[in-house]
Amino acid sequence: MSRRMSEAASVCSFDSIPTMADVEATLGSVDMNQRYELYSGRLISFAEVGHPCGHPVFCFLGLGCMRYYSIILEDLAFKHQLRIYCIDRPGVGMSHTTEPEAWTPLRMAEIVEEMANGFNIQRFSVMGHSCGAIYAMACALRLKSRIVGTVWLMSPWVHLTLAKRMKWIKHVPTTLLKSQSTASLLYKSLSVAAKEPPSSSDPNILNYDREKLCKAMLEDNMAESLEGANNDLMVCLELYHSFGFSYKDVKLPVHVFWGTKDAVISREAVDWMEQKLEQCTLSVIEGGTHGLLWRADVVSQMFKGIASSWKLAEFERSLSQRWSIKQLGLNSSGNRHLAYRSSAYNATVQQAIQTSNIYESLQQASLHPHQVLEDPERF
């Protein structure tokens, strides 16, 4: 049971299985039901989970999934000192809707920028699951300078030209697609996710009756708004227009998790990302399905990487604050590089990002943080 559900149930054991009342009380808490007013006057609903003073991370969920999904990230986010902001896209949850013809992933980046400014969040990380990957990549493109470290994606949606398993949908009339029951689509998605095998590699994951949680999420989705799910569907299928950008335009490092039993995204699609993106790492999860968001081992690895990126950013900031440009020896012609950006240090940084352990990587390269701080020109 998560910390939040433990409080709702007035118990302290993580081995307890929450009742339906515990689930409903948790989903009804203040942090799970916040709203932000944009300059346009439209309201956007969102949830905050994890460490109250943690590093900010914007999380983008899959097709039609509202902010309540983020509760499964609560304990691991707290453990890694991360604060997860999960935003309901327009028409989902309590967020005001927008015309599907006008909605694009890049507009989501504008919403994130406005909310980050409103919360005085200067820099943040991004993560996305399934079609939420489109919006995470849009932020990586538009808000590159504000994103810390790697863009983290699970079971990422790709352009239909690459999603071989879904190409046939392109030929289905838009009116027919919009007439289908969104509730049934969501129920199927949640049911599949609930069957994702649990992981015993990390005990700090929500221990719950998944069927109860899925039922509560679906009921709350239906009680609020499902219109945004159709907007998401139109974006995924690119029926009104394309994404507005290509994943290849993103220059930030990207880490992709994909399960071998993913029935939605093909191996060819994630292989394309690994090959075509400038900096892309692919982690293949043997036996994993499309619902990797429910896997403790996957989420734990991702959060560990995010936390490491923040440590690295703080380390680099401490260097820049301690050494002035003059001390680092950068002349007016710019012939010399900043010492802490030397090839030796950059190689170490890349290794640190991959291994998610900054200080061990520095030691392996005989570069201790204190050595770099005291005499950066040696490197």
Side-chain angles (χ1 to χ4, degrees):
M1 187 184 295
S2 74
R3 297 181 313 104
R4 197 182 297 267
M5 284 196 182
S6 294
E7 295 170 0
S10 298
V11 296
C12 297
S13 173
F14 278 89
D15 298 323
S16 303
I17 301 297
T19 65
M20 197 63 182
D22 298 331
V23 173
E24 291 174 349
T26 299
L27 299 184
S29 64
V30 174
D31 284 350
M32 300 298 295
N33 296 279
Q34 302 186 69
R35 302 181 87 176
Y36 184 89
E37 184 176 356
L38 301 174
Y39 291 131
S40 64
R42 290 191 295 115
L43 295 177
I44 297 294
S45 52
F46 67 98
E48 288 182 70
V49 300
H51 199 289
C53 300
H55 299 299
V57 181
F58 283 94
C59 173
F60 303 94
L61 301 175
L63 176 65
C65 293
M66 64 191 304
R67 61 195 181 279
Y68 291 146
Y69 239 128
S70 61
I71 190 62
I72 65 177
L73 306 174
E74 170 84 56
D75 291 330
L76 285 175
F78 187 88
K79 174 184 176 181
H80 292 285
Q81 297 187 329
L82 303 176
R83 188 64 171 170
I84 309 297
Y85 291 82
C86 188
I87 304 173
D88 285 337
R89 294 185 282 275
V92 175
M94 296 185 295
S95 291
H96 287 176
T97 189
T98 188
E99 292 298 323
E101 295 87 349
W103 177 243
T104 68
L106 293 174
R107 288 191 63 188
M108 188 70 217
E110 295 172 0
I111 291 175
V112 170
E113 182 177 28
E114 185 173 335
M115 291 182 69
N117 291 340
F119 295 143
N120 197 28
I121 297 174
Q122 302 303 316
R123 304 194 69 195
F124 48 86
S125 299
V126 293
M127 57 178 283
H129 173 245
S130 190
C131 85
I134 306 171
Y135 301 99
M137 292 294 272
C139 289
L141 180 64
R142 282 291 177 87
L143 307 174
K144 176 182 177 180
S145 63
R146 300 183 67 168
I147 292 178
V148 173
T150 299
V151 179
W152 299 86
L153 307 177
M154 294 170 285
S155 311
W157 189 270
V158 295
H159 293 277
L160 275 185
T161 53
L162 302 169
K164 295 182 178 180
R165 296 174 184 172
M166 307 295 289
K167 278 185 176 181
W168 61 272
I169 299 182
K170 189 74 172 178
H171 304 288
V172 179
T174 304
T175 52
L176 181 60
L177 281 171
K178 294 181 70 173
S179 68
Q180 299 302 307
S181 172
T182 306
S184 66
L185 285 173
L186 283 176
Y187 181 77
K188 183 178 180 180
S189 173
L190 288 168
S191 298
V192 169
K195 293 178 174 61
E196 177 71 40
S199 170
S200 59
S201 63
D202 195 320
N204 295 294
I205 191 70
L206 189 62
N207 182 17
Y208 49 78
D209 184 327
R210 292 184 177 185
E211 294 296 335
K212 288 179 182 177
L213 187 59
C214 287
K215 181 180 179 182
M217 287 179 178
L218 182 61
E219 289 177 349
D220 285 320
N221 257 348
M222 295 177 68
E224 293 185 6
S225 175
L226 291 171
E227 190 173 350
N230 282 326
N231 289 352
D232 270 349
L233 190 59
M234 299 302 107
V235 168
C236 289
L237 304 182
E238 302 173 66
L239 292 178
Y240 290 120
H241 36 65
S242 67
F243 294 167
F245 68 100
S246 170
Y247 285 178
K248 292 187 292 184
D249 299 333
V250 175
K251 306 306 179 184
L252 291 174
V254 177
H255 194 129
V256 174
F257 293 90
W258 176 83
T260 56
K261 293 186 178 180
D262 193 323
V264 180
I265 304 301
S266 67
R267 177 62 187 263
E268 292 83 357
V270 291
D271 281 344
W272 176 89
M273 292 184 68
E274 184 181 31
Q275 295 165 9
K276 299 298 182 181
L277 272 62
E278 284 194 7
Q279 304 178 69
C280 183
T281 301
L282 174 61
S283 294
V284 176
I285 309 301
E286 193 64 38
T289 68
H290 193 64
L292 293 182
L293 190 67
W294 300 76
R295 289 280 295 259
D297 52 347
V298 174
V299 174
S300 183
Q301 183 179 345
M302 181 174 63
F303 282 0
K304 184 179 179 181
I306 294 174
S308 183
S309 294
W310 279 94
K311 289 180 181 178
L312 178 60
E314 291 169 354
F315 177 56
E316 288 191 313
R317 185 168 59 250
S318 69
L319 284 176
S320 63
Q321 289 174 346
R322 176 152 186 169
W323 296 95
S324 67
I325 293 179
K326 182 177 180 180
Q327 287 173 310
L328 288 170
L330 182 65
N331 60 28
S332 59
S333 61
N335 291 328
R336 295 186 60 187
H337 294 291
L338 297 177
Y340 65 88
R341 291 293 189 184
S342 66
S343 58
Y345 183 79
N346 275 338
T348 305
V349 167
Q350 291 303 317
Q351 183 184 1
I353 293 173
Q354 295 300 322
T355 61
S356 299
N357 194 319
I358 298 168
Y359 298 105
E360 285 185 7
S361 298
L362 287 170
Q363 290 170 352
Q364 289 172 4
S366 299
L367 295 174
H368 192 278
H370 293 298
Q371 289 178 301
V372 179
L373 281 170
E374 295 300 327
D375 190 7
E377 293 192 1
R378 288 176 52 195
F379 313 106

